[in-house]
Amino acid sequence: MCQFRKRKEEPKMNFLELHDDCLDNILLHFGFDEILPLFNELHTRFDEAIERQLHRFRDLQFSMRHPPPFHEGFMLLLGRHLNSLHITVGYSTSDKDFLRYLNPLCQGASESLRLRALKLDHAKWSPDIVNAVCKVARSLLFLDMRHCDVRDYQITRLLESTDKMEALALLHVHNQTGDSYLQHNVLNRVPALKLIHITILGILPFSPEELSQQCPHLSFLISDLINREFKIYGPPAYLQDYYKYYHEYFKTP
């Protein structure tokens, strides 16, 4: 008579029994879109392992047309690791939807002061957007608003909130933007500021020759959308570094 031995069951291991370095090695193979949905779904220890991966995503770029899944706690943690942030907003995107992402990202970034570059595209700046960006202005080196509807008093407030900014890029629309920020007493309050890149639509609202004399440390790069030309005023030495660092922060896919 044949006897069958009962197969011995192999011991089972809970995923959370793995050492931290094992969890880290596993998550190292996960991309941003794969890690984000797992946050706050399994265990606090797994969330801690996810947070240890966030340094890999310190240069964040996304569009509000197809935004990443939203979790406020995750966005707050991610903001603390950000080196650069580029969001394509879209004029049809509501402030509420956009600020849902921007507020926790900027709050986290304001706590770590690691954010060096911020670029927002196709956004009409509201007081709430200005408030969010002012939280991170003191750590920013670059701020790009060339594709945004922003007003002079908002620009002035941003300049008053920073002391490290080296380059500012913006769009100036004749009879709309205003020119109160183009005063030497405003610009000279930011000693680190080396270049302002102004894309103009319409008449140039100031004398760049006169302003460059009043702000001798500052270069002006004027891009004329209508005439399709650009001119440089003031010391040109920083321009090469500007483009070099700009493309390092805002890498194209």
Side-chain angles (χ1 to χ4, degrees):
M1 184 176 179
C2 294
Q3 292 184 345
F4 295 94
R5 291 184 179 180
K6 188 176 181 180
R7 188 174 181 179
K8 187 177 180 181
E9 291 187 7
E10 296 182 2
K12 295 180 180 179
M13 175 177 281
N14 189 304
F15 191 63
L16 294 173
E17 292 176 5
L18 295 173
H19 293 299
D20 284 351
D21 56 348
C22 292
L23 284 175
D24 292 345
N25 285 330
I26 292 171
L27 290 177
L28 189 62
H29 299 281
F30 284 56
F32 181 77
D33 293 335
E34 297 166 320
I35 279 184
L36 199 161
L38 299 176
F39 185 79
N40 204 37
E41 292 294 327
L42 300 174
H43 191 275
T44 54
R45 187 161 169 262
F46 198 76
D47 291 344
E48 292 168 357
I50 289 176
E51 185 177 359
R52 291 195 295 273
Q53 297 294 318
L54 296 185
H55 67 92
R56 295 196 285 123
F57 313 113
R58 60 181 177 267
D59 295 306
L60 181 64
Q61 177 179 350
F62 66 89
S63 168
M64 288 302 299
R65 185 182 293 272
H66 301 291
F70 179 78
H71 188 287
E72 186 174 7
F74 182 90
M75 294 297 159
L76 183 67
L77 292 174
L78 180 60
R80 294 172 184 166
H81 292 268
L82 288 181
N83 176 61
S84 69
L85 176 62
H86 178 190
I87 305 177
T88 300
V89 183
Y91 289 111
S92 61
T93 302
S94 69
D95 255 22
K96 180 181 178 182
D97 289 341
F98 174 43
L99 288 165
R100 188 170 174 238
Y101 286 85
L102 186 66
N103 275 330
L105 287 170
C106 286
Q107 179 60 43
S110 71
E111 296 170 5
S112 67
L113 296 178
R114 292 176 178 173
L115 187 64
R116 295 291 179 261
L118 174 64
K119 181 178 182 181
L120 301 180
D121 286 334
H122 311 302
K124 180 176 175 60
W125 282 55
S126 66
D128 288 334
I129 293 176
V130 175
N131 288 338
V133 175
C134 279
K135 291 180 182 179
V136 298
R138 62 192 176 120
S139 70
L140 289 180
L141 302 181
F142 297 88
L143 176 59
D144 188 344
M145 307 179 289
R146 279 178 299 167
H147 303 112
C148 290
D149 180 359
V150 59
R151 303 306 163 94
D152 56 352
Y153 60 90
Q154 296 172 327
I155 299 168
T156 299
R157 187 177 168 207
L158 290 168
L159 289 173
E160 291 172 346
S161 303
T162 183
D163 56 5
K164 295 180 180 178
M165 191 177 296
E166 296 181 2
L168 173 68
L170 56 94
L171 172 67
H172 190 104
V173 181
H174 181 58
N175 284 336
Q176 178 174 305
T177 305
D179 59 4
S180 64
Y181 69 96
L182 292 167
Q183 307 295 326
H184 68 90
N185 59 321
V186 174
L187 299 177
N188 284 329
R189 289 181 199 152
V190 190
L193 193 61
K194 298 176 182 176
L195 183 139
I196 298 183
H197 182 181
I198 303 178
T199 301
I200 63 168
L201 186 60
I203 301 172
L204 192 63
F206 68 104
S207 168
E209 295 92 344
E210 182 179 337
L211 195 54
S212 62
Q213 290 177 357
Q214 295 172 332
C215 306
H217 66 288
L218 195 54
S219 299
F220 295 89
L221 174 60
I222 310 296
S223 301
D224 189 328
L225 284 179
I226 295 177
N227 296 318
R228 297 185 178 182
E229 62 181 16
F230 69 89
K231 295 180 180 179
I232 301 169
Y233 301 88
Y238 184 69
L239 275 176
Q240 187 173 355
D241 287 340
Y242 167 66
Y243 282 107
K244 173 187 173 185
Y245 292 126
Y246 181 89
H247 290 294
E248 285 182 1
Y249 282 123
F250 304 119
K251 301 176 179 66
T252 54

